[in-house]
Amino acid sequence: MKKITVKPIAVKLATTKLNTINLTVLLAVFLALTMLSSNAFANSQNVHNKHHKPGKVIRHIPSNSVSVRFNGAVFNTHNGTYYRKHSRGYREVMPPRGLHIRSLPKYHSRLRHRNNTYYTYQNVYYIAENNGYTVVDTPKIQVNRAIKVNNTSSYKLGQFYDSLPTAAKPVTISSVQYFKYDDIYFLPQISDDVIKYLAVKLN
């Protein structure tokens, strides 16, 4: 009797098809996880960059909010945002001057002004005292205003100026920051916590 040999073509085709399906499924899962991770990161960034909106009313505050008493009033705070009890839930408020907290918001900034150190987050300023941080008024920081000057003859080399011409452009030369206006360069200098600009000419 003649022996018949059957080649496993169908098996190989089935195996190849199965491997293709598995690869497709794995790729889809990978893409889905990547999108979820991206969305999670974006959401976390949005939370950190969220701006405080005094007056906004929410129904519930985060469960890990901290209660702080000040002159008989109760404030709830969470990540630098403050709340007061409201008829429809809780209202976002600005904390009063003098309110004391134990720790700063995670994403606070540090500012030095007139030999004082301030900590700020969402337009609220604090100073360190009594093993914690106390809310204070916004420090009065002088802001230099640009002036409208249309010719370089109004500036003398070697002189300091409180402000820049409106057309001055920032440039960096040899790792030093200048502001260029026509052929004059202004070098920022700090004097008594106020920025002044020294007019110089570079070759």
Side-chain angles (χ1 to χ4, degrees):
M1 180 181 293
K2 185 178 181 180
K3 187 176 181 181
I4 300 176
T5 303
V6 179
K7 296 183 179 180
I9 296 176
V11 176
K12 287 184 178 180
L13 290 175
T15 303
T16 301
K17 186 176 181 181
L18 182 60
N19 289 337
T20 302
I21 294 175
N22 289 338
L23 181 60
T24 303
V25 171
L26 289 174
L27 181 59
V29 172
F30 174 77
L31 291 174
L33 291 175
T34 301
M35 292 179 63
L36 288 174
S37 299
S38 299
N39 289 336
F41 177 77
N43 290 335
S44 66
Q45 290 297 100
N46 290 335
V47 169
H48 301 331
N49 295 330
K50 174 189 173 185
H51 292 290
H52 181 47
K53 297 180 179 178
K56 178 182 177 181
V57 176
I58 59 176
R59 295 188 62 183
H60 304 286
I61 58 177
S63 58
N64 57 343
S65 297
V66 177
S67 295
V68 181
R69 287 187 172 272
F70 180 76
N71 291 345
V74 177
F75 293 81
N76 295 91
T77 178
H78 179 261
N79 286 342
T81 300
Y82 294 82
Y83 307 90
R84 287 291 312 278
K85 188 68 178 175
H86 186 267
S87 59
R88 291 184 287 121
Y90 293 85
R91 181 190 297 275
E92 291 189 18
V93 298
M94 292 295 290
R97 180 181 61 182
L99 184 143
H100 190 78
I101 58 175
R102 292 184 179 180
S103 59
L104 291 168
K106 183 176 180 180
Y107 296 97
H108 68 272
S109 300
R110 181 175 176 176
L111 170 69
R112 286 284 298 177
H113 179 64
R114 297 192 181 280
N115 297 323
N116 294 318
T117 300
Y118 295 90
Y119 304 89
T120 179
Y121 183 70
Q122 294 194 8
N123 296 322
V124 179
Y125 287 81
Y126 309 84
I127 58 172
E129 63 178 14
N130 300 328
N131 297 320
Y133 302 88
T134 301
V135 176
V136 296
D137 291 332
T138 302
K140 295 180 179 180
I141 302 174
Q142 179 175 339
V143 177
N144 293 311
R145 296 181 179 178
I147 57 177
K148 296 181 179 179
V149 176
N150 297 320
N151 57 77
T152 57
S153 62
S154 299
Y155 297 99
K156 293 183 180 180
L157 298 179
Q159 294 293 318
F160 285 95
Y161 295 90
D162 293 331
S163 52
L164 293 167
T166 54
K169 303 295 184 182
V171 295
T172 301
I173 301 175
S174 299
S175 300
V176 178
Q177 174 73 66
Y178 295 90
F179 291 87
K180 186 176 185 298
Y181 176 63
D182 201 0
D183 60 346
I184 295 180
Y185 292 82
F186 294 89
L187 178 64
Q189 302 284 305
I190 298 178
S191 176
D192 295 328
D193 293 330
V194 176
I195 297 179
K196 293 183 179 294
Y197 303 92
L198 175 63
V200 297
K201 197 165 186 176
L202 303 180
N203 295 326

